[in-house]
């Protein structure tokens, strides 16, 4: 099964699983560590993947939330996310997918325009968060936000947060 | 800064000008708010830009007069509008700036061994360096060394050059009141200490603010596409790109040189809309280069950072350095840089 579907498995008792998809291995690992450090009422599992589709020979729990991480410094990460999106079932986008853009703080290093990611998130009707994952404080805040969003049982993210000033179009 | 503060106008003039603004649209402040609102609109439209063409005012530009602007490396800054700057006072500004520099040098702030303090500052207008008639005139500041012996040639060596210009700066000109002169793009060539001194003088005298203009990889790829799209009779230089790969312990630089005619052929195969460059075309152009490189070297250039683009029209570095090689497209290159400078100010 190469397409991820939200309800094809039974939910685990008192567990929540987040899947982070992105090419920036180091940043994803750091974000995952920050999330696991946070206090959590139920058990939290964080899976990391470079891209979709996920290998089908591994048993994994039902995925409750997918965060696609795009690094604005790298066009490659954007292309990777765009291609991975094709392997996600449409019903996932009803509140179980989010986009995370990192690197907007260093404007001089950006090769992807902010509006490109905004448009992508808008096309997929999913929220977009900006966070410089390289900065520990921002990363910890983002980890808290993801966990609090994950643990509510209703579709999450009723707001879009922009952490950076308007940029060149 | 608002146009509301015009105490010298009579009540009737004020009322009629307010009515006029109401009919035309908005005060400068309202226009500025509108432009900011437009920029942060939720679903942005992708940008389209005109391929640099010879501007209709190009005939006014004397090629000899602007030849000294070409083939020189300029460091870019963006500049906020100058308050109460007047083109008729250029001689006075020359004297004031000359005195300021002499004073600074005597203070010992910028003393270089063996340098004489006999310098002369010249402000001059650069005619024809504008995109539309609305753009303010560009002007040039030069520091020359005065020759010691009176028998020698009066014109000394040029130590430092800087010029201010505004090409197609409509979006900024609309939002600024009349006391201000908008010349958002500043280019400097020469010692950094001189640039700093002159920057300080301008900031004190005209209440403006300089900031270095960096060019990110996104804009560099736009420049690469636009300059490759320019029609050239003969190509003076190869088209070259430089990427920086952030890796430890030492940074790795990847340089990719293409024959300019091949680059143009690639662009022509990608280009659809005549006279305009779109985001899709730029992306496709760069993706072709990336995939070609990947096929041969198995390296994803799209994961690295583009730092330098060099074509026969001009070359640009991400630190905000530019060198213009072609007189024909000078205005076109400056137009894009002005756009970046205006964006940085706003």
């Amino acid at each position: 099964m190469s397409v991820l579907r939200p309800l094809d498995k039974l939910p685990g008792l008192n567990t929540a699983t987040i899947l982070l998809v992105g090419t920036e291995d180091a940043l994803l690992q750091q974000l995952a560590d920050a999330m696991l450090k946070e206090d959590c009422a139920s058990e939290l599992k964080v899976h990391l993947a470079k891209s979709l589709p996920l290998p089908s020979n591994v048993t994994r729990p039902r995925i409750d939330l997918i965060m696609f991480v795009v690094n604005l410094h790298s066009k490659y990460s954007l292309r990777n996310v765009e291609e991975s999106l094709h392997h996600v079932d449409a019903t996932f986008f009803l509140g179980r997918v989010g986009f995370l853009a990192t690197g907007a703080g260093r404007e001089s290093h950006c090769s992807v325009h902010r509006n490109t990611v905004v448009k992508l998130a808008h096309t997929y009707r999913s929220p977009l968060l900006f966070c410089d994952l390289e900065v520990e404080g921002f990363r910890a805040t983002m980890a808290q936000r993801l966990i609090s969003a994950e643990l509510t049982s209703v579709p999450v993210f009723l707001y879009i947060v922009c952490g950076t000033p308007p940029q060149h179009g | 800064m608002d146009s509301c503060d015009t105490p010298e106008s009579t009540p009737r003039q004020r009322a009629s000008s307010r009515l006029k603004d109401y009919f035309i649209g908005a005060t400068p402040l309202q226009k500025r708010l509108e432009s900011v609102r437009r920029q942060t609109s939720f679903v942005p439209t992708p940008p389209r830009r005109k391929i640099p063409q010879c501007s209709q005012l190009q005939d006014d530009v004397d090629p000899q007069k602007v030849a000294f602007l070409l083939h020189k490396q300029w460091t870019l800054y963006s500049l906020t509008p100058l308050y109460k700057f007047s083109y008729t006072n250029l001689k006075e500004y020359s004297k004031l700036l000359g005195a300021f520099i002499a004073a600074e040098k005597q203070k010992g702030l910028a003393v270089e061994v063996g340098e004489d303090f006999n310098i002369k500052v010249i402000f001059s207008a650069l005619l024809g360096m504008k995109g539309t008639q609305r753009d303010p005139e560009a002007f040039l500041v030069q520091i020359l060394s005065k020759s010691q012996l009176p028998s020698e040639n009066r014109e000394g060596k040029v130590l430092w050059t800087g010029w201010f210009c505004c090409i197609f700066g409509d979006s900024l000109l609309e939002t600024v009141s009349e006391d201000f002169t908008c010349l958002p793009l500043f280019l400097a060539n020469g010692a950094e200490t001189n640039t700093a001194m002159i920057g300080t003088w301008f900031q004190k005298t005209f209440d403006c603010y300089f900031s270095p203009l960096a060019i990110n990889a996104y804009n560099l790829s736009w420049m690469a596409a636009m300059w490759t799209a320019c029609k050239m009779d003969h190509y003076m230089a190869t088209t070259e790109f430089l990427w920086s790969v952030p890796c430890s312990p030492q940074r790795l630089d990847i340089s990719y040189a293409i024959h300019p005619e091949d680059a143009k052929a690639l662009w022509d195969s990608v280009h659809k809309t005549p006279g305009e460059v779109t985001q899709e075309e730029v992306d496709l152009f760069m993706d072709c280069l990336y995939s070609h490189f990947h096929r041969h070297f198995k390296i994803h250039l799209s994961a690295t950072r583009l730092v330098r683009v060099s074509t026969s029209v001009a070359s640009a570095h991400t630190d905000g350095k530019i060198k213009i090689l072609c007189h024909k497209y000078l205005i076109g290159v400056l137009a894009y840089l002005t756009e970046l400078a205006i964006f940085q100010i706003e």
Side-chain angles (χ1 to χ4, degrees):
Chain A
M1 253 308 134
S2 61
V3 174
L4 274 177
R5 289 183 212 285
L7 300 172
D8 60 349
K9 293 191 181 148
L10 290 172
L13 261 179
N14 217 24
T15 52
T17 311
I18 300 184
L19 174 66
L20 301 176
V21 180
T23 52
E24 308 290 316
D25 303 326
L27 292 178
L28 290 190
Q29 185 65 54
Q30 286 176 322
L31 180 61
D33 290 339
M35 285 167 73
L36 291 171
K37 265 201 222 117
E38 293 290 324
D39 281 332
C40 203
S42 37
E43 197 188 317
L44 179 69
K45 290 202 171 92
V46 182
H47 286 245
L48 303 178
K50 200 161 162 136
S51 66
L52 298 177
L54 299 172
S56 49
N57 50 1
V58 178
T59 49
R60 67 178 68 81
R62 186 181 84 163
I63 291 170
D64 299 311
L65 176 66
I66 306 179
M67 286 302 290
F68 288 99
V69 179
V70 176
N71 186 357
L72 292 179
H73 299 178
S74 157
K75 249 183 166 170
Y76 176 60
S77 74
L78 177 68
R79 292 275 176 266
N80 179 60
V81 162
E82 281 173 351
E83 253 140 64
S84 302
L85 282 165
H86 297 149
H87 297 276
V88 179
D89 186 55
T91 49
F92 236 117
F93 293 101
L94 299 173
R96 292 172 188 267
V97 171
F99 292 91
L100 182 60
T102 180
R106 275 200 291 175
E107 166 70 20
S108 58
H109 286 236
C110 286
S111 42
V112 175
H113 194 265
R114 190 174 175 267
N115 286 348
T116 312
V117 198
V118 170
K119 207 167 149 204
L120 181 68
H122 187 252
T123 311
Y124 283 93
R125 301 288 191 271
S126 294
L128 172 63
L129 302 175
F130 285 92
C131 172
D132 252 320
L133 289 178
E134 293 172 32
V135 180
E136 201 190 313
F138 296 159
R139 201 165 56 227
T141 315
M142 181 53 61
Q144 280 175 353
R145 192 175 275 143
L146 288 176
I147 289 177
S148 63
E150 161 68 15
L151 294 180
T152 57
S153 51
V154 297
V156 300
F157 298 124
L158 303 175
Y159 57 94
I160 290 179
V161 174
C162 287
T164 50
Q167 293 186 0
H168 180 56
Chain B
M1 208 190 272
D2 297 335
S3 71
C4 329
D5 312 326
T6 46
E8 55 266 17
S9 63
T10 65
R12 181 182 294 181
Q13 279 176 342
R14 246 179 286 151
S16 66
S17 76
R18 224 178 297 140
L19 270 177
K20 199 169 76 158
D21 284 338
Y22 179 79
F23 282 120
I24 289 174
T27 61
L29 181 61
Q30 284 174 329
K31 282 183 189 158
R32 170 166 278 305
L33 286 172
E34 189 50 49
S35 79
V36 171
R37 216 175 282 134
R38 240 182 284 137
Q39 278 169 29
T40 54
S41 65
F42 186 71
V43 181
T45 52
R48 298 173 156 259
R49 291 200 177 85
K50 290 211 158 22
I51 296 175
Q53 311 279 357
C54 297
S55 91
Q56 55 271 39
L57 301 175
Q58 197 84 3
D59 306 325
D60 298 357
V61 178
D62 187 2
Q64 306 288 24
K65 292 228 175 73
V66 297
F68 74 100
L69 299 174
L70 304 177
H71 299 283
K72 252 206 197 84
Q73 182 165 283
W74 300 99
T75 308
L76 298 171
Y77 295 84
S78 67
L79 178 61
T80 58
L82 302 164
Y83 184 62
K84 288 215 165 33
F85 176 85
S86 158
Y87 290 96
T88 53
N89 292 348
L90 292 183
K91 271 210 159 55
E92 208 183 293
Y93 297 146
S94 314
K95 285 199 208 105
L96 289 170
L97 182 53
F100 179 79
I101 292 178
E104 289 289 315
K105 291 208 185 239
Q106 286 187 346
K107 255 194 260 181
L109 287 177
V111 169
E112 284 157 26
V113 178
E115 190 182 295
D116 62 354
F117 291 167
N118 291 336
I119 52 138
K120 195 162 74 140
V121 175
I122 300 184
F123 275 62
S124 52
L126 271 177
L127 295 170
M129 296 293 292
K130 42 158 82 171
T132 61
Q133 286 298 350
R134 264 189 85 180
D135 290 330
E137 285 291 347
F139 72 94
L140 174 75
V141 179
Q142 283 178 308
I143 301 182
L144 301 114
S145 64
K146 264 194 279 205
S147 52
Q148 298 282 36
L149 302 173
S151 58
E152 277 178 15
N153 192 358
R154 297 303 288 180
E155 285 306 306
K157 200 161 67 89
V158 175
L159 298 173
W160 183 92
T161 316
W163 49 295
F164 301 74
C165 67
C166 176
I167 317 278
F168 295 112
D170 289 329
S171 61
L172 186 62
L173 292 168
E174 277 172 20
T175 61
V176 154
S177 69
E178 277 158 22
D179 288 331
F180 288 89
T181 312
C182 282
L183 292 162
L185 187 62
F186 173 60
L187 303 94
N189 173 286
E192 178 57 38
T193 48
N194 288 335
T195 312
M197 262 197 294
I198 288 168
T200 317
W201 184 81
F202 269 91
Q203 283 176 175
K204 273 205 284 217
T205 317
F206 300 111
D207 196 24
C208 57
Y209 185 71
F210 286 86
S211 61
L213 184 66
I215 309 174
N216 64 21
Y218 173 80
N219 291 317
L220 282 176
S221 37
W222 264 90
M223 285 182 190
M226 279 167 47
W227 298 342
T228 308
C230 294
K231 258 199 281 279
M232 302 276 286
D233 301 324
H234 70 279
Y235 291 96
M236 295 181 269
T238 51
T239 303
E240 203 179 305
F241 298 83
L242 186 68
W243 282 272
S244 165
V245 185
C247 60
S248 57
Q250 257 185 347
R251 212 190 58 202
L252 176 68
D253 285 334
I254 300 177
S255 162
Y256 185 176
I258 318 170
H259 194 274
E261 277 164 27
D262 292 340
K264 182 76 164 68
L266 174 63
W267 172 257
D268 288 337
S269 67
V270 164
H271 187 48
K272 296 281 177 305
T273 43
E276 262 189 351
V277 180
T278 63
Q279 178 72 56
E280 290 85 24
E281 289 169 2
V282 175
D283 286 340
L284 193 51
F285 178 69
M286 295 305 290
D287 283 343
C288 290
L289 298 174
Y290 293 152
S291 57
H292 179 82
F293 196 85
H294 182 253
R295 203 179 312 134
H296 289 277
F297 299 102
K298 296 284 176 273
I299 294 179
H300 287 284
L301 284 174
S302 48
T304 62
R305 183 165 79 109
L306 182 60
V307 297
R308 188 164 186 272
V309 167
S310 180
T311 63
S312 298
V313 171
S315 76
H317 189 279
T318 192
D319 291 339
K321 305 223 188 302
I322 188 126
K323 194 190 276 193
I324 307 174
L325 303 168
C326 178
H327 154 257
K328 214 166 125 188
Y329 296 105
L330 176 62
I331 298 285
V333 171
L334 293 172
Y336 191 35
L337 294 173
T338 308
E339 204 184 313
L340 295 183
I342 290 177
F343 188 76
Q344 186 166 296
I345 298 172
E346 293 175 352

